């Protein structure tokens, strides 16, 4: 599903040039659950942003479902992302003035799904995530675990092939963290490819494979 | 203060625009207030102005009030016991050429009642004396003129050179203030002229009442008091004859006085109110205009204050964390609030100081100085400067108080955690303020449209004559003696269609010579224009009944439609009234006076002065030239000037376009229109700055949301639509409220014009489109930056 060839990412300012990724080569197959680990500043989030088409690499090739997407323009990246990739963030990134239901509905709207179908799919995913009773609440009215469940519901409501999770349990307690990881595992078991960035060995244990990064390079691959 | 500077650096454009808006508002407030103070203070600089009254009269009860009266009746009024002093000034002043060395200087000159002179107006005598025992004693001059010509105010006994003559300076009076009706002129005594002439209504009277007099009661019975005095004076003058009359004849004599006064009316108008009365051409004040200017001052400050409040409100969420960190470190909330308020006061005062610089620069700019009848220099309005500074402080306090309390209203521990830019309460308040700004913008844009329509209407509506094709010139005595030759020469020029002569330039002044004729039911008063027989065709004035003048006509009238409709008895080629001249035709009404007074509906008569007025001499010294529609008018004007110079004494001859003259006539109207236009544009700019700043903050606060939406598949266009949709709703809501209010304000303003444009329906959608375009363009420009930003950066924002 994903194939990276010598991906480099360099951030430049007037004064400094920082190499975040120094030439990444990796592959993720359909249905895999891959954990990316490494110390702070090693390039994990940068790699995830490139995988999620939120950013372009400076150099290299990124093949997603056999299409080279590394050099797409902003608009093409957006259209490619729609319905294909779901995101889960450490800080949830829910929209404060939208209700739980509206937050989950958002990607469906951008995908052009008719209103009746949207309603059905949102209700279904809320039931699955056990947050139906919170449908009309605003994010500030929810606990961290509930917010992350909403975020996961929003990520998967369009039934994407790929879910990218950036430290999904970073802001959660152990119990809630475990629940979130089980949800992601369940999704993976149902066929969704998951790529997760994490610091946590415990969370990484849910993955089928771990990629270790150090200073912008893949240093070791471990097959579990 | 450091966090203020940090935010100022972070939002350079918004901060600069906000400061600019406040600066412009303070400068505009000052400028408009100078005009308001000028209007309100008109004539009030004259000593005892509250006891001074102008005599106003009606020659016929159906005639409008006028300032003209006859001299004997005015002198009777001056004898009333309630009157402390009074004076009489002939209706007409003139420009006098006084020589300074070999250079002629045009000075205003007028006659005045010799014994009373300027004394009722509290004129201060600086040298010599101000009242005459005989006209030959000389003239009195203002101190400014004395200084100019003699370099001293002690100029009594010295001589002014007027043409070939020398005129003795009898006295020097201190200049009257600029904003009063009194001219700082060279005054000479009117001597005994028309001393006993009851039919020459060409004098203006002013009365100073005793301090103890109940002015209102005296004004109420003024006409009766004048009548009683008139009866007493006339009876005393004709005592011998009256004694010989029997009872029946005495009753008849009494009835004659009753009849005479039955047709007349008199009243006293306080000098402090004449400016707004519009009775005299010099009463150029307009109360509606005055009130609009006062409202303009209030609105401009209100708009600026709202803007500033918006700005401080919009940036306050960004200060929550910084301010509350200080609280965590031990600072008192009250101290922090005071600091925050001090910051906004300092910002407002900075804008005030900048505005002083702007005012100074503007006062050096002739175009701006011309826009106001008042002096706009700072040194002459120090109290106003002080008030503006006080208002700046007040605005600073107002704009700082709520945000100061808002920022310090959170528990410090909570405040350190999150973003407060999108708290529902803050969002609602900002939305309400944006709505208020848009609401004001819409009213202003519609109002500007109405101003423009009226301005266009004044310029381009039908005047009843072909103003765009006409030139005129004042003939010198030498050219006046060669009128036929001048006409023959000009008619040979290609492009000159006709030439005619008249007594005055139509449209050059608000008021013209008034004639009163007839008596009883056929007593008429009208504006009279002596002309030659070619005049109406030259001017393009249409004949609607009877015929135009021809070369054989003499001592006859052509009256206008308004006169024809008012005087139902008029027949063609019959006398206008008993013993008067015949009417040969009726012409269409013309607009020839102020746009505020419906002069077009006043009776007018064009007259060819013949045998009956031979004592008047040749009064037709205005040359009127009609040019072909497609001729090169500028070139022709130069050719005519050259020809007239050649045929005259070789000196320069000024030939002017009539339409430019009309623009001068409506100078006050255009000045006001330009003032309001300036005010509206300033308000609009300030308001748009407000909208710009708010959208800037709004998009800043929504950066993260925009980022999240983009991550989940939103395109830039969809983001812009999202941002704009809210503003579209605000604009439409505001339009529903603003349109009727703007219509009402514009309608009220138009009521002050005798002839006015209609408020076209299309003005409203155009205004809506304009405000929508500007607001949405602002939103989109701001939104585009956020929409095209990499969402990775946006979602990191906290």
């Amino acid at each position: 599903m994903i194939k990276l060839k010598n991906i480099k990412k360099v951030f430049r300012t007037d004064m400094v040039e920082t190499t975040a990724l120094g030439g990444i080569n990796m592959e993720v197959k359909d249905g895999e659950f891959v954990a990316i680990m490494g110390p702070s500043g090693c390039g994990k989030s940068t790699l995830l942003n490139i995988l999620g088409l939120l950013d372009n690499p400076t150099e290299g090739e990124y093949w997603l479902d056999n299409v080279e997407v590394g050099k797409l323009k902003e608009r093409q990246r957006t259209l490619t992302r729609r319905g294909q990739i779901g995101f889960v963030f450490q800080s949830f990134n829910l929209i404060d003035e939208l209700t739980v239901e509206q937050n989950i509905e958002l990607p469906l709207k951008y995908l052009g799904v008719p209103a009746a179908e949207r309603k059905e799919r949102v209700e279904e995913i809320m039931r699955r995530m056990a947050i139906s009773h919170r449908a009309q609440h605003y994010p500030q009215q929810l606990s961290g675990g509930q917010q992350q469940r909403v975020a996961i519901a929003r990520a998967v409501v369009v039934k994407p092939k790929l879910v990218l999770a950036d430290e999904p349990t970073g802001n959660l307690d152990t119990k809630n963290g475990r629940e979130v990881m089980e949800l992601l595992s369940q999704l993976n078991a149902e066929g969704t490819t998951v790529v997760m960035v994490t610091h946590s060995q415990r969370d990484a244990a849910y993955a089928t494979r771990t990629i270790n990064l150090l200073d912008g390079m893949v240093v070791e691959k471990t097959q579990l | 203060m450091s966090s203020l500077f940090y935010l100022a650096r972070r939002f350079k454009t918004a901060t600069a625009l906000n400061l600019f808006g406040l600066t412009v508002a303070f400068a505009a407030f000052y400028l408009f207030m100078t005009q308001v103070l000028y209007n309100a203070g008109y004539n009030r600089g004259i000593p005892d102005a509250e006891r001074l009254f102008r005599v106003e009269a009606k020659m016929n009860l159906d005639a409008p009030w006028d300032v003209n009266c006859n001299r004997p009746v005015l002198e009777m009024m001056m004898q009333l016991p309630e009157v402390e002093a009074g004076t009489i000034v002939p209706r007409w002043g003139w420009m006098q050429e006084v020589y300074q060395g070999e250079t002629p200087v045009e000075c205003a000159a007028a006659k005045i009642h010799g014994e009373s002179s300027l004394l009722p107006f509290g004129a201060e005598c600086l040298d010599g004396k101000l009242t005459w025992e005989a006209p030959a004693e000389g003239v009195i001059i203002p101190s400014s003129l004395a200084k100019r010509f003699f370099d001293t105010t002690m100029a009594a006994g010295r001589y002014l050179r007027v043409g070939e003559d020398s005129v003795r300076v009898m006295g020097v009076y201190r200049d009257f203030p600029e904003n009063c009706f009194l001219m700082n002129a060279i005054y000479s005594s009117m001597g005994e002229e028309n001393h006993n002439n009851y039919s020459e209504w060409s004098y203006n009277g002013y009365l100073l009442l005793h301090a103890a007099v109940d002015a209102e009661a005296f004004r109420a019975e003024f006409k009766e008091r004048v009548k009683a005095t008139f009866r007493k004076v006339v009876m005393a003058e004709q005592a011998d004859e009256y004694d010989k009359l029997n009872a029946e004849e005495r009753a008849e004599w009494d009835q004659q006085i009753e009849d005479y006064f039955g047709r007349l009316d008199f009243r006293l108008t306080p000098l402090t109110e004449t400016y707004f009365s519009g009775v005299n051409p010099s009463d150029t004040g307009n109360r509606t205009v005055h009130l609009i200017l006062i409202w303009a001052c209030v609105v401009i400050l209100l708009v600026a204050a709202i803007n500033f409040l918006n700005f401080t409100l919009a940036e306050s969420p960004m200060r929550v964390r910084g301010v509350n960190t200080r609280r965590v470190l031990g600072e008192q909330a009250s101290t922090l609030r005071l600091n925050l308020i001090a910051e906004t006061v300092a910002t407002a005062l900075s804008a005030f100081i900048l505005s002083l610089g702007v005012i100074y620069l503007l006062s050096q700019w002739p175009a701006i100085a011309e826009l106001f009848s008042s002096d706009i220099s700072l040194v002459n309005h120090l109290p106003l400067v002080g008030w503006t500074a006080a208002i700046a402080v007040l605005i600073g306090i107002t704009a700082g108080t709520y945000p100061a309390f808002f920022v310090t209203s959170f528990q410090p521990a909570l405040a350190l955690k999150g973003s407060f830019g999108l708290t529902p309460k803050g969002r609602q308040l900002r939305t309400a303020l944006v709505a208020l700004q848009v609401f004001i913008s819409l009213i202003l844009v519609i109002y500007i449209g109405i101003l423009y329509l009226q301005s266009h209407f004044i310029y381009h509506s039908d005047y009843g004559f072909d103003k765009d094709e006409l030139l005129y010139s004042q003939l010198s005595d030498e050219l006046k003696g060669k009128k036929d030759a001048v006409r023959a020469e000009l008619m040979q020029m290609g492009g000159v269609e006709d030439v005619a002569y008249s007594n005055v330039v139509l449209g050059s002044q608000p008021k013209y010579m008034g004639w009163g004729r007839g008596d009883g039911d056929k007593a008429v008063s009208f504006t009279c224009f002596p002309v030659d027989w070619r005049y109406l065709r030259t001017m393009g004035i249409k004949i609607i009944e009877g015929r135009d003048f021809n070369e054989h006509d003499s001592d006859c009238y052509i009256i206008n439609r308004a006169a024809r409709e008012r005087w139902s008895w008029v027949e063609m080629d019959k006398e206008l009234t008993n013993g008067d001249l015949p009417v040969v035709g009726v012409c269409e009404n013309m607009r020839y006076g102020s746009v505020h007074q419906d002069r077009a509906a006043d009776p007018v008569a064009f007259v060819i002065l013949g045998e009956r007025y031979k004592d008047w001499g040749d009064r037709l010294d205005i040359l009127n030239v009609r040019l072909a529609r497609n001729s090169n008018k500028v070139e022709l004007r130069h050719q005519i000037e050259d020809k007239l110079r050649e045929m005259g004494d070789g000196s320069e001859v000024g030939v002017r376009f009539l339409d430019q003259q009309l623009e001068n006539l409506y100078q006050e109207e255009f000045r006001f229109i330009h003032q309001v236009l300036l005010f509206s544009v300033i308000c609009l700019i300030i308001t748009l700055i407000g909208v710009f700043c708010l959208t800037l903050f709004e998009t800043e606060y929504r950066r993260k949301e925009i980022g999240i939406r983009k991550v989940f598949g939103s395109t830039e266009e969809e983001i812009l639509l999202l941002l704009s949709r809210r503003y579209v709703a605000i604009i439409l809501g505001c339009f529903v409220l603003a349109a009727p209010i703007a219509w009402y304000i514009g309608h009220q303003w138009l009521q002050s014009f005798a002839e006015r444009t209609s408020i076209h329906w299309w003005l409203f959608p155009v205004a809506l489109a304009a405000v929508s375009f500007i607001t949405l363009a602002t939103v989109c420009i701001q939104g585009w930056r956020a929409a095209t930003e990499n969402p990775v950066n946006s979602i990191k924002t906290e």
Side-chain angles (χ1 to χ4, degrees):
Chain A
M1 178 179 214
I2 291 172
K3 198 169 192 179
L4 301 185
K5 289 183 183 172
N6 196 29
I7 288 290
K8 289 183 182 173
K9 181 70 184 178
V10 181
F11 295 104
R12 292 186 180 91
T13 65
D14 292 344
M15 309 288 289
V16 188
E17 188 174 285
T18 309
T19 302
L21 299 174
I24 302 280
N25 291 291
M26 60 176 268
E27 212 172 313
V28 177
K29 295 193 168 63
D30 276 352
E32 265 197 301
F33 187 157
V34 175
I36 300 172
M37 294 190 72
S40 293
C42 72
K44 301 187 295 288
S45 295
T46 306
L47 177 59
L48 200 70
N49 290 337
I50 289 171
L51 291 177
L53 298 175
L54 298 178
D55 210 351
N56 271 345
T58 314
E59 263 182 53
E61 292 174 21
Y62 172 15
W63 292 82
L64 178 67
D65 272 347
N66 299 320
V67 179
E68 219 292 69
V69 294
K71 294 175 185 66
L72 294 182
K73 294 212 165 25
E74 165 66 26
R75 188 177 176 79
Q76 293 166 312
R77 289 209 309 263
T78 301
L79 297 176
T80 309
R81 210 160 48 225
R82 272 185 188 173
Q84 285 210 62
I85 306 174
F87 290 86
V88 179
F89 300 97
Q90 179 182 355
S91 53
F92 323 134
N93 281 336
L94 298 173
I95 295 174
D96 290 340
E97 69 266 34
L98 301 185
T99 61
V100 165
E101 192 176 32
Q102 288 165 334
N103 263 290
I104 297 171
E105 190 187 20
L106 205 62
L108 294 171
K109 271 187 168 176
Y110 293 132
L111 209 53
V113 177
E117 191 187 335
R118 280 205 310 261
K119 194 169 183 316
E120 204 174 296
R121 285 171 70 171
V122 169
E123 278 171 4
E124 183 197 326
I125 197 76
M126 283 196 300
R127 261 198 311 278
R128 206 174 141 196
M129 297 288 161
I131 46 173
S132 297
H133 61 299
R134 295 290 194 179
Q136 298 309 317
H137 286 73
Y138 287 91
Q140 298 96 320
Q141 297 168 311
L142 306 180
S143 70
Q146 286 170 331
Q147 288 193 47
Q148 195 60 300
R149 285 217 295 275
V150 175
I152 293 170
R154 182 179 61 182
V156 300
V157 72
V158 291
K159 298 178 180 158
K161 291 180 186 167
L162 174 64
V163 168
L164 300 173
D166 191 355
E167 306 263 13
T169 62
N171 281 359
L172 302 177
D173 58 24
T174 314
K175 180 176 169 282
N176 279 309
R178 196 172 53 241
E179 282 177 16
V180 164
M181 286 313 301
E182 279 165 7
L183 274 172
L184 289 175
S185 290
Q186 198 184 335
L187 285 171
N188 179 241
E190 290 164 7
T192 308
T193 308
V194 179
V195 177
M196 175 182 71
V197 161
T198 182
H199 275 111
S200 162
Q201 286 290 353
R202 193 173 53 231
D203 290 352
Y206 285 90
T208 51
R209 187 158 61 103
T210 300
I211 297 171
N212 288 311
L213 285 188
L214 183 65
D215 295 337
M217 301 293 286
V218 175
V219 289
E220 189 185 344
K221 293 179 189 173
T222 312
Q223 185 74 50
L224 292 172
Chain B
M1 200 57 91
S2 57
S3 62
L4 178 76
F5 289 135
Y6 165 73
L7 286 171
R9 279 197 302 274
R10 186 170 160 196
F11 297 105
K12 281 192 215 82
T13 316
T15 307
L17 284 174
N18 187 51
L19 204 59
F20 171 76
L22 267 183
T23 304
V24 170
F26 289 139
F29 170 77
Y30 171 89
L31 292 173
F32 285 108
M33 273 307 289
T34 59
Q35 183 70 56
V36 168
L37 292 174
Y38 177 89
N39 293 348
Y42 197 81
N43 280 348
R44 288 180 193 272
I46 299 171
D48 295 321
E50 69 285 357
R51 290 198 285 134
L52 275 163
F53 294 83
R54 182 172 73 187
V55 176
E56 292 176 2
K58 281 185 180 183
M59 277 178 77
N60 297 299
L61 288 181
D62 64 342
W65 283 103
D66 205 332
V67 293
N68 296 319
C69 191
N70 61 53
R71 181 171 173 178
V73 170
L74 286 173
E75 286 185 335
M76 285 173 206
M77 293 172 184
M78 286 161 61
Q79 302 306 318
L80 291 168
E82 288 86 351
V83 176
E84 182 180 314
T87 195
I88 300 171
V89 188
R91 177 180 178 176
W92 305 110
W94 67 95
M95 295 308 287
Q96 180 83 66
E97 277 191 350
V98 181
Y99 281 84
Q100 188 170 29
E102 290 308 310
T103 313
V105 178
E106 291 247 302
C107 302
K111 287 187 175 182
I112 195 161
H113 193 270
E115 290 163 33
S116 307
S117 185
L118 294 167
L119 297 185
F121 305 121
E124 185 186 347
C125 182
L126 299 178
D127 195 22
K129 59 172 191 160
L130 300 184
T131 55
W132 286 262
E133 280 155 33
E137 283 182 295
V139 295
I140 60 173
I141 62 172
S143 49
S144 56
L145 206 71
K147 274 191 194 147
R148 177 169 186 179
F149 282 93
F150 307 111
D151 210 19
T152 172
T153 56
M154 309 303 280
R158 299 176 77 163
Y159 285 84
L160 289 171
R161 187 153 81 83
V162 180
E164 295 300 312
D165 304 322
S166 287
V167 177
R168 181 176 174 272
V169 176
M170 183 183 81
V172 178
Y173 63 92
R174 188 181 297 284
D175 277 21
F176 287 105
E178 195 189 333
N179 64 331
C180 77
F181 85 102
L182 284 163
M183 287 190 299
N184 289 312
I186 301 169
Y187 286 100
S188 53
S189 169
M190 56 196 231
E192 292 297 306
E193 70 174 42
N194 292 311
H195 181 57
N196 279 317
N197 187 348
Y198 285 88
S199 60
E200 185 56 61
W201 289 61
S202 298
Y203 294 90
N204 303 341
Y206 299 90
L207 305 179
L208 176 70
L209 302 190
H210 284 292
V213 169
D214 177 351
E216 285 312 303
F218 180 65
R219 288 171 70 196
E221 60 181 22
F222 184 63
K223 184 184 171 185
E224 287 307 312
R225 297 291 306 280
V226 174
K227 188 164 83 175
T229 309
F230 180 86
R231 182 187 168 83
K232 206 157 71 182
V233 170
V234 173
M235 198 178 279
E237 280 173 358
Q238 302 175 4
D240 292 343
E241 288 179 38
Y242 189 78
D243 289 343
K244 292 174 197 161
L245 300 177
N246 59 33
E248 196 177 324
E249 287 167 331
R250 283 184 183 186
E252 194 181 329
W253 192 88
D254 284 345
Q255 190 55 47
Q256 279 178 2
I257 289 182
E258 284 299 324
D259 288 348
Y260 181 61
F261 271 87
R263 290 197 301 274
L264 303 178
D265 203 357
F266 297 103
R267 72 176 180 188
L268 291 176
T269 300
L271 214 51
T272 50
E273 292 174 16
T274 55
Y275 185 59
F276 294 114
S277 75
V279 171
N280 202 32
S282 63
D283 304 335
T284 50
N286 180 313
R287 205 173 288 281
T288 311
V289 166
H290 183 61
L291 289 175
I292 287 175
L293 283 178
I294 291 174
W295 274 109
C297 292
V298 173
V299 169
I300 215 158
L301 284 180
L302 191 69
V303 168
I306 290 171
N307 232 21
F308 193 33
L309 179 61
N310 272 344
F311 182 79
T312 51
L313 273 175
E315 69 168 16
S316 56
M318 294 181 197
R319 311 189 69 176
V320 171
R321 195 171 292 180
V323 167
N324 284 284
T325 304
R326 286 182 172 82
R327 280 177 76 190
V328 169
L329 297 175
E331 188 63 279
Q332 292 283 337
S334 56
T335 311
L336 287 166
R337 284 179 201 136
L338 277 178
N339 284 346
L340 289 166
I341 294 169
E343 284 174 7
T344 52
V345 170
T347 308
L349 279 175
S350 307
F352 164 72
I353 291 165
L354 285 172
S355 75
L356 295 182
V358 171
I359 294 164
Y360 174 76
L361 291 175
L362 290 178
S363 66
Q364 310 296 313
W365 192 9
I368 294 292
E370 265 177 36
L371 203 57
F372 298 91
S373 19
S374 54
D375 169 23
I376 58 172
S377 63
L378 289 163
V379 285
N380 290 332
H381 291 94
L382 290 179
L384 178 59
V385 172
W387 277 109
T388 313
I391 288 167
V393 172
L394 195 67
I395 287 178
I397 293 171
T398 312
T401 304
Y402 180 77
F405 278 87
F406 168 76
V407 166
T408 53
S409 66
F410 301 94
Q411 288 298 325
L414 177 71
L416 292 179
K417 278 185 179 169
S419 162
F420 297 85
L422 291 166
T423 57
K425 212 173 155 188
R427 227 177 28 238
Q428 282 165 10
L429 185 58
R430 282 201 303 278
T431 303
L433 290 172
V434 170
L436 189 58
Q437 300 266 38
V438 171
F439 172 74
I440 293 172
S441 302
L442 280 163
I443 290 181
L444 289 173
V445 170
I446 296 170
Y447 190 52
I448 288 172
I450 295 171
L451 283 178
Y452 175 78
L453 286 176
Q454 178 64 10
S455 182
H456 186 269
F457 178 81
I458 294 174
Y459 270 116
H460 297 102
S461 62
D462 186 10
Y463 276 62
F465 54 94
D466 300 332
K467 66 182 173 64
D468 299 329
E469 325 299 335
L470 293 159
L471 294 174
Y472 74 92
S473 178
Q474 171 96 40
L475 293 181
S476 64
D477 285 344
E478 184 157 355
L479 285 170
K480 211 167 140 185
K482 303 177 182 170
K483 278 196 213 166
D484 290 341
V486 168
R487 179 182 148 77
E489 286 287 343
L490 297 187
M491 287 301 288
Q492 284 177 13
M493 290 180 180
V496 172
E497 286 190 340
D498 214 338
V499 173
Y501 298 97
S502 60
N503 174 234
V504 290
V505 181
L506 201 60
S508 65
Q509 53 204 58
K511 219 163 183 183
Y512 301 84
M513 181 165 65
W515 278 15
R517 295 288 183 271
D519 50 24
D521 293 345
K522 292 186 179 175
V524 294
S525 57
F526 55 92
T527 299
C528 187
F529 295 107
V531 296
D532 73 356
W533 68 272
R534 296 187 184 92
Y535 184 75
L536 274 72
R537 71 191 60 171
T538 302
M539 298 296 285
I541 298 170
K542 291 181 187 69
I543 300 293
I544 56 171
E545 188 181 342
R547 62 173 175 81
D548 195 358
F549 292 129
N550 63 41
E551 56 190 312
H552 308 296
D553 281 332
S554 177
D555 284 325
C556 58
Y557 295 123
I558 287 180
I559 61 174
N560 70 344
R561 180 196 287 274
R564 179 75 183 89
E565 286 167 0
R566 192 174 294 192
W567 307 326
S568 54
W569 65 84
V570 169
E571 290 179 49
M572 295 303 106
D573 298 318
K574 299 270 173 63
E575 288 176 348
L576 175 62
T577 61
N578 290 341
D580 198 17
L581 308 182
V583 176
V584 299
V586 179
C587 66
E588 193 53 271
N589 291 341
M590 302 140 288
R591 193 199 304 163
Y592 58 94
S594 161
V595 283
H596 290 294
Q597 290 172 324
D598 198 1
R599 294 281 183 219
D602 284 355
V604 165
F606 292 97
V607 61
I608 296 187
L609 300 175
E611 192 62 25
R612 194 183 292 204
Y613 293 92
K614 67 180 179 190
D615 294 348
W616 286 27
D618 182 3
R619 293 199 169 196
L620 308 185
D621 53 2
I622 301 295
L623 166 76
N624 301 278
V625 184
R626 182 189 182 86
L627 306 180
R629 195 168 289 269
N630 297 319
S631 58
N632 182 341
K633 296 186 176 68
V634 176
E635 178 57 30
L636 268 171
R637 177 179 149 189
H638 291 312
Q639 285 180 27
I640 293 169
E641 280 177 340
D642 291 345
K643 181 56 71 183
L644 293 177
R645 188 178 61 238
E646 191 185 298
M647 294 182 76
D649 59 6
S651 57
E652 289 297 328
V653 179
V655 175
R656 296 184 174 87
F657 292 106
L658 188 59
D659 54 352
Q660 284 175 356
Q661 175 58 45
L662 289 167
E663 282 176 28
N664 293 340
L665 179 65
Y666 301 134
Q667 192 183 5
E668 283 301 317
E669 279 77 22
F670 288 129
R671 175 181 282 164
F672 170 70
I673 287 172
H674 290 146
Q675 279 174 354
V676 176
L677 209 57
L678 176 69
F679 148 76
S680 305
V681 169
I682 287 171
C683 275
L684 195 60
I685 290 171
I686 297 172
T687 304
L688 290 174
I689 286 173
V691 173
F692 179 84
C693 291
L694 283 171
T695 53
L696 191 139
F697 281 108
E698 196 70 21
T699 46
E700 178 64 27
Y701 289 133
R702 298 184 76 174
R703 270 181 73 206
K704 189 176 171 186
E705 179 195 334
I706 292 166
I708 295 168
R709 285 177 183 274
K710 285 189 72 183
V711 165
F712 285 96
S714 174
T715 60
E716 284 95 342
E717 292 81 1
E718 283 163 332
I719 295 291
L720 289 184
L721 197 66
L722 171 83
L723 292 174
S724 309
R725 204 164 43 204
R726 194 164 136 253
Y727 287 93
V728 170
I730 290 173
I731 292 167
L732 289 176
C734 289
F735 178 73
V736 171
L737 294 174
I741 293 173
W743 178 88
Y744 179 76
I745 296 171
H747 178 74
Q748 287 300 106
W749 176 64
L750 287 174
Q751 296 310 303
S752 69
F753 290 89
E755 292 175 61
R756 49 189 172 262
T757 178
S758 52
I759 302 175
H760 301 294
W761 67 268
W762 50 259
L763 193 59
F764 296 89
V766 166
L768 177 65
V771 171
S772 303
F773 175 77
I774 296 170
T775 309
L776 294 179
T778 307
V779 172
C780 288
I781 290 166
Q782 294 297 332
W784 186 251
R785 266 178 41 200
T788 52
E789 194 179 17
N790 189 333
V792 173
N793 298 328
S794 313
I795 56 177
K796 277 191 216 155
T797 310
E798 188 55 56

